Amino acid sequence: MSVEPAIRVNGIEKSFSDTHVLRGVDVEIAAGSIFALLGSNGAGKTTLVRILSTLLKPDAGTALVHGFDVMAEPAKVRESISLTGQFAAVDDVLTGRENLVLVAKLRHLENPAGVADELLSRFGLSDAGSRRAATYSGGMRRRLDIAMGLIGNPPVIFLDEPTTGLDPQSRIEVWQTIRMLAGAGTTVLLTTQYLDEAEQLADRIAILHNGRIIQSGTLAELKKLLPPATREYIEKQPSLEDVFLALVGGGVSVATSLAAEKEDS
Amino acid sequence: MTTHILGDTRTLTARSLRHILRSPDTIVTTVVTPIALMLLFVYVLGGAIRTGSGDSYINYMLPGILLITIASGIAYTSYRLFLDMQSGIVERFQSMPIPRASVLWAHVLTSLAANTISLAVVIGVALLMGFRTGASLAAWLAIAGILLLFTLALTWIAVIAGLTAKSVDGASAFSYPLIFLPFISSAFVPTASMPGPVAWFAENQPVTSIVDTVRALFAGQPVGSGIWIALAWLVGMLVVAYALAVTIYRRKVT
Ligand SMILES: Nc1ncnc2c1ncn2[C@@H]1O[C@H](COP(=O)(O)OP(=O)(O)OP(=O)(O)O)[C@@H](O)[C@H]1O
Ligand SMILES: [Mg+2]
C-alpha cells in the first residue's frame, strides 16, 4: 500500500467520566476499501466513529481522515465525509423526498430534486417518497437515512450499524450499494454486529475490545488465527436466508450471485 | 465556508418554517391564551379595574397581552430545538460542512416568523374587540422594533432551554414564569395599586418599562425617558441570552 491511507488513527483515547472507553486505538484504512469494525455492545465503536466524524473530541491521540486532522481541521474533515449514525436521523415532519432534497441543498448540489428521485428509486422508496418520514417503517427510515448519507459522494463514508433492523432483501441492497461505493473509490468504515456482514463485505476487519483493536486483518488472516479446520463431510443445506429469499421472491438472483461471490473469495 | 452561511441558514430556516406550516396548531395554541386573557380582562374583570388613564381598558392591556403572546410562542422554539437535538438531526447537520451557527439561526428566524404571525392574529382580535390606536407610522415602526427585540431576547432564552432540557416538558416549562411576568407589572393594573414590595418589583422589572413604552406609542403620547430603560433591558437580555446560548451550544457540539 504505497498510497496514503484514507483514515489513520493513532493512540486515540476517550473517557466518559469514569469509564475509559477507548484506551489507545490504532487503525489504518486504505483508500477505496471497506473496513468493518466489530465489537460487542459498549465496546466503543460508535464513540470511535463519532470522533472520526468530528462530533466528539478525543482525550488523546490523533486521527487523520482523508489527510485532515479531526482536531485541527474539522471543517475540512466534514467536507470529506458522510456519517450515517447508529440511529436514523431523519426529519419526521418532512417527506422522504424533502429529506433528501434538504441534504442535497446543504451539500450545494446542482439538481437536488433529481438527486432525490434517483436515490428514492435506488432505495426502493419511490412510492413512499411523498409521504412523511414519520409514517415510515423502521427499515424504510433506515434506508432513507442511508440514502441521505450518500448524497454528494464524499470520499469517506461512515456507517454505524447500517443494516441493523433491515429485512434480508434490504440488507443485500445496502451491501450492493456499499460494494458499488467502494468500487467507485469511496472508503467505507462500517460497524456491525453481524459477522456474516463483515465476512461478505469487508476487505479488512478489526475487532475492538477493552478499548483497543485486538486484531485486524483480512478475513483469511483472521481465520488463520484459529487452529486449522478439521475436514468433515456434511450435506450442503440451504441457509434460512436462502429459503426466506426464495419464498418472498425478488432476492433469489441476488442470493445466488452472492453465493457465487462467496466461492470466488 | 462563510460563503455558504446565508444559503445554508436559508435552507434550514425553510425546513423549520415547513414544520410550522405542517402543524398550524402551534400558532393556534400560542394565541389561544392571550386571546382568552383579553376576553377575560375586557369582559369580566376590566369593568372593575381603574387604570386612571381614561383610555379604554383594551387599549390599556394590549401591550401586556402582546408580550404574553411572545412568551408563549417561544416555548415552541425550545420544543422544536430540543426535538432536533434528540432526533439526531442536529448531529447529522454537524457532521456535514454546514456553518454551525446556521443550525441555531434557522430556529431563531423561524421563531421570529411564527411570533409575527401570532402577534398579527392577536392584534386582529384586539381590533375586533374595540382596540383603537392613533399611532403614526413612526410609532408603529418603534413598536415593531421593540417587539422584535423582545422576541429575539426571549428566543435566545428559549434556545438555552432547548439545548439544556432533559425532557420535552422541561423544554417548554421554562416559559411559564416568562408568561407570568406581565401579571406583576403595569400590564393589567397600575403598579401604584400594589402593596409596597410587589410594587417595587413591578416597577423595576423589564416588562413594566416595555409595556409603558408600547402603550404610550399606541396612544400617540410622548414615551419619555422610559423608552431608554426599556431598550436597556431589551438589549441587555438579548446580549446575555445570546452569549449564554452560544457558549452552551459550543460546549455541546464540541
Ligand atoms: N455521551 C456519553 N456519556 C457517557 N457515556 C457514554 C457516552 N457515549 C458513550 N458512552 C459509553 O461509552 C461506552 C461505549 O459506547 P459506544 O456507544 O461507543 O459503544 P458501541 O460499541 O457503539 O456499542 P453498541 O454496539 O451497543 O452500539 C458505553 O459504555 C457507553 O455507555
Ligand atoms: Mg454503537
Side-chain angles (χ1 to χ4, degrees):
Chain A
M1 261 178 277
S2 55
V3 283
E4 182 67 9
I7 298 174
R8 188 200 288 275
V9 178
N10 278 319
I12 286 287
E13 294 188 35
K14 182 72 192 176
S15 300
F16 294 106
S17 50
D18 54 348
T19 41
H20 202 171
V21 180
L22 301 178
R23 302 160 179 252
V25 172
D26 301 297
V27 179
E28 274 188 18
I29 302 178
S33 71
I34 302 177
F35 190 94
L37 186 62
L38 304 180
S40 24
N41 290 140
K45 304 181 293 296
T46 299
T47 304
L48 183 60
V49 167
R50 283 166 51 86
I51 288 172
L52 293 178
S53 43
T54 75
L55 294 176
L56 205 61
K57 283 201 173 82
D59 301 333
T62 56
L64 294 184
V65 175
H66 201 59
F68 302 114
D69 188 301
V70 292
M71 297 274 273
E73 302 158 292
K76 288 270 202 305
V77 172
R78 282 177 214 133
E79 279 168 22
S80 319
I81 63 160
S82 155
L83 165 68
T84 302
Q86 184 165 0
F87 304 102
V90 304
D91 186 329
D92 273 335
V93 180
L94 301 187
T95 66
R97 178 176 283 103
E98 285 167 345
N99 268 288
L100 294 164
V101 168
L102 172 70
V103 175
K105 280 188 179 161
L106 291 170
R107 293 232 179 237
H108 312 110
L109 301 186
E110 290 284 317
N111 176 12
V115 171
D117 286 334
E118 194 267 318
L119 282 166
L120 284 172
S121 79
R122 201 199 309 173
F123 282 84
L125 292 169
S126 292
D127 293 338
S130 50
R131 259 171 42 205
R132 290 191 195 187
T135 67
Y136 284 16
S137 73
M140 291 164 77
R141 284 170 70 86
R142 192 56 179 163
R143 265 148 44 205
L144 175 62
D145 190 44
I146 295 173
M148 286 162 78
L150 301 185
I151 295 173
N153 301 316
V156 177
I157 287 192
F158 300 118
L159 297 164
D160 197 355
E161 301 199 20
T163 62
T164 302
L166 292 188
D167 61 41
Q169 284 144 304
S170 307
R171 226 173 136 211
I172 287 168
E173 277 157 23
V174 169
W175 287 358
Q176 283 173 331
T177 302
I178 293 173
R179 283 201 193 92
M180 219 174 66
L181 289 168
T186 305
T187 309
V188 181
L189 167 59
L190 64 94
T191 76
T192 183
Q193 302 283 352
Y194 304 119
L195 303 186
D196 63 322
E197 182 159 291
E199 273 193 39
Q200 286 285 340
L201 275 180
D203 299 309
R204 292 180 76 82
I205 299 167
I207 298 169
L208 182 61
H209 187 66
N210 286 335
R212 288 195 184 84
I213 303 286
I214 52 164
Q215 276 304 336
S216 81
T218 62
L219 180 60
E221 284 165 358
L222 291 181
K223 279 185 171 166
K224 275 194 209 130
L225 295 171
L226 296 180
T230 51
R231 193 174 286 253
E232 276 177 47
Y233 291 94
I234 52 162
E235 200 180 334
K236 169 90 173 68
Q237 294 280 353
S239 70
L240 177 59
E241 190 178 10
D242 295 336
V243 176
F244 178 89
L245 290 171
L247 290 177
V248 298
V252 185
S253 60
V254 182
T256 44
S257 72
L258 278 180
E261 273 181 49
K262 212 172 194 170
E263 276 154 29
D264 286 349
S265 57
Chain B
M1 225 164 74
T2 43
T3 52
H4 289 308
I5 189 157
L6 292 180
D8 287 353
T9 306
R10 194 178 57 214
T11 304
L12 290 170
T13 307
R15 160 186 177 257
S16 52
L17 281 175
R18 200 167 256 164
H19 285 203
I20 293 182
L21 292 178
R22 300 233 164 123
S23 46
D25 53 306
T26 58
I27 299 281
V28 174
T29 48
T30 299
V31 299
V32 157
T33 311
I35 290 175
L37 283 173
M38 273 201 295
L39 294 171
L40 180 72
F41 272 85
V42 169
Y43 296 121
V44 182
L45 305 171
I49 297 175
R50 296 285 161 264
T51 62
S53 69
D55 211 349
S56 75
Y57 188 63
I58 184 135
N59 282 7
Y60 183 84
M61 73 177 302
L62 185 65
I65 291 290
L66 295 180
L67 300 194
I68 288 177
T69 307
I70 295 168
S72 52
I74 48 117
Y76 280 106
T77 302
S78 56
Y79 170 76
R80 278 188 292 265
L81 179 58
F82 175 78
L83 290 188
D84 273 7
M85 300 288 294
Q86 284 270 299
S87 71
I89 198 104
V90 170
E91 285 216 330
R92 159 158 257 142
F93 294 150
Q94 256 135 25
S95 71
M96 293 169 63
I98 301 172
R100 304 228 146 173
S102 290
V103 175
L104 285 192
W105 273 105
H107 279 282
V108 171
L109 294 176
T110 303
S111 170
L112 291 185
N115 279 296
T116 304
I117 299 170
S118 304
L119 287 170
V121 171
V122 170
I123 291 175
V125 172
L127 285 169
L128 290 178
M129 288 173 61
F131 166 69
R132 293 296 175 265
T133 169
S136 62
L137 180 64
W140 268 109
L141 287 177
I143 293 166
I146 288 172
L147 294 178
L148 176 75
L149 276 176
F150 190 71
T151 310
L152 266 181
L154 262 56
T155 297
W156 283 105
I157 295 176
V159 168
I160 297 174
L163 289 173
T164 54
K166 299 276 181 281
S167 69
V168 178
D169 295 333
S172 38
F174 81 98
S175 68
Y176 299 154
L178 295 177
I179 295 172
F180 200 67
L181 219 45
F183 289 100
I184 317 168
S185 80
S186 63
F188 297 102
V189 295
T191 55
S193 64
M194 302 172 186
V198 182
W200 182 87
F201 175 79
E203 276 155 23
N204 292 290
Q205 63 123 322
V207 171
T208 294
S209 61
I210 299 167
V211 159
D212 289 349
T213 303
V214 173
R215 191 182 284 142
L217 287 166
F218 269 138
Q221 289 163 358
V223 291
S225 64
I227 192 168
W228 299 114
I229 300 174
L231 284 176
W233 272 114
L234 288 166
V235 173
M237 290 195 303
L238 176 56
V239 168
V240 171
Y242 173 80
L244 215 62
V246 169
T247 310
I248 292 170
Y249 184 61
R250 289 232 177 89
R251 197 166 298 162
K252 206 132 192 145
V253 304
T254 72

